[in-house]
Amino acid sequence: MSSDASVSRRMAGTAAPARALLACGVLAGPLFVLLIVGQAMTRDGFDARRHPLSMLSLGEHGWIQTANFLVCGLLILASVIGLRRVLEPRTLGRAWGTGLLAVYGTSLIWAGLFPTDPAYAFPPGTPAGAPVQASWHGMLHNIAPVGMGLALSVACLVFARRFAREGRRGWTVYSVLAPAAYLVLGFAAFPAQDYRLMLAGGAVIWTWASALCLSSMTARPVAERRSS
């Protein structure tokens, strides 16, 4: 058997698993957003304007959001493995980009493991206003959104640089605008006293990660392009 045929067989054997892993990332963003929106519209006492989305993990049906954090975090970590299989070795995107996406996935799992504190009359029966003293798990939970937001924002810029080198203008602009929208809307949520702005910014950047996986899943592997 020729060496070219051997390489072709090896690539064929790895392409399907990589695409399956990337499909996990494609699913993660939309699933995370849709479950949050669905809960925000149906949970008694929850007001998306004044309650952070993490508070959905509290109360009788809080297990839904807890599962959302954990499952989507695992899906992101699976997609990281897929990206590392299809991206060209020894490149900025493969090394730093996938590492930052792994921090994003880990932060989602962290948020599910350590719930935030009840506050602002949610769940129903909770006193109005902020908690008098934050619990240990509430303080640990607060690490998650910071780690997730920073890691994913920097990952966007890392891939923007990669796309710019490849001459992919659309993806370059998308990868710059996604973290910009996330940060602008996130900071605007506080003076506006409306957490829906933060959710909107999150939806932009979370779905960017899913779009990245979809693009990588439908593209031919680098080795295949070189052999053609």
Side-chain angles (χ1 to χ4, degrees), residues 48-179:
R49 181 177 56 185
R50 64 190 185 98
H51 293 142
L53 67 89
S54 291
M55 295 183 71
L56 288 168
S57 61
L58 304 174
E60 181 181 0
H61 301 289
W63 65 269
I64 299 175
Q65 181 56 29
T66 298
N68 195 20
F69 279 130
L70 296 176
V71 171
C72 289
L74 291 172
L75 290 173
I76 291 297
L77 293 181
S79 72
V80 168
I81 299 173
L83 283 169
R84 290 186 65 84
R85 290 188 180 185
V86 300
L87 293 177
E88 188 174 3
R90 297 183 297 276
T91 59
L92 189 65
R94 188 179 189 275
W96 284 97
T98 57
L100 290 163
L101 289 174
V103 174
Y104 160 45
T106 302
S107 297
L108 287 174
I109 295 172
W110 184 280
L113 293 175
F114 303 106
T116 189
D117 291 318
Y120 306 108
F122 187 84
T126 301
V132 177
Q133 184 175 2
S135 66
W136 64 270
H137 55 80
M139 289 187 288
L140 287 176
H141 178 89
N142 291 335
I143 298 172
V146 176
M148 177 175 61
L150 286 176
L152 194 48
S153 296
V154 177
C156 286
L157 299 179
V158 168
F159 278 99
R161 182 179 176 185
R162 178 190 180 96
F163 292 133
R165 287 180 174 180
E166 296 174 351
R168 302 171 67 180
R169 293 184 180 179
W171 266 103
T172 302
V173 172
Y174 183 19
S175 299
V176 171
L177 291 182

